[in-house]
Amino acid sequence: ILDAFNRIAASKQTSADIVAAPIAEALTATAIGLGVAIPAVMAYNYLGGKVNLLAQRIEYNALDLLTRAETAREDVATR
């Protein structure tokens, strides 16, 4: 993109014929970048949600395990 604008600046002309090709190149690069970035962000958000859900499940099960262990220890202590 920067190269396209540098070529426009180097030519020191602003006619439509001179400007059109570099601008089209810059727009094409932008479209390709968005075509890559949008699915990447969607995948990141999806996988981030899965990781958060897994972390919640692990925390729930860990707390459940600790509660059961404490209850079992109290049962042994009262016998």
Side-chain angles (χ1 to χ4, degrees):
I1 294 173
L2 292 176
D3 183 50
F5 290 115
N6 285 336
R7 282 189 279 148
I8 292 171
S11 71
K12 297 186 182 184
Q13 296 180 9
T14 57
S15 68
D17 294 336
I18 299 297
V19 174
I23 294 294
E25 181 183 336
L27 289 174
T28 302
T30 301
I32 291 170
L34 287 172
V36 171
I38 291 171
V41 169
M42 291 173 62
Y44 173 82
N45 289 334
Y46 174 77
L47 294 173
K50 289 289 190 180
V51 167
N52 288 336
L53 180 61
L54 182 59
Q56 289 174 356
R57 290 176 60 191
I58 289 170
E59 182 179 5
Y60 173 80
N61 288 323
L63 291 174
D64 183 51
L65 178 64
L66 290 174
T67 302
R68 289 174 189 237
E70 185 177 335
T71 303
R73 193 177 96 193
E74 289 172 358
D75 289 345
V76 170
T78 59
R79 288 184 190 178

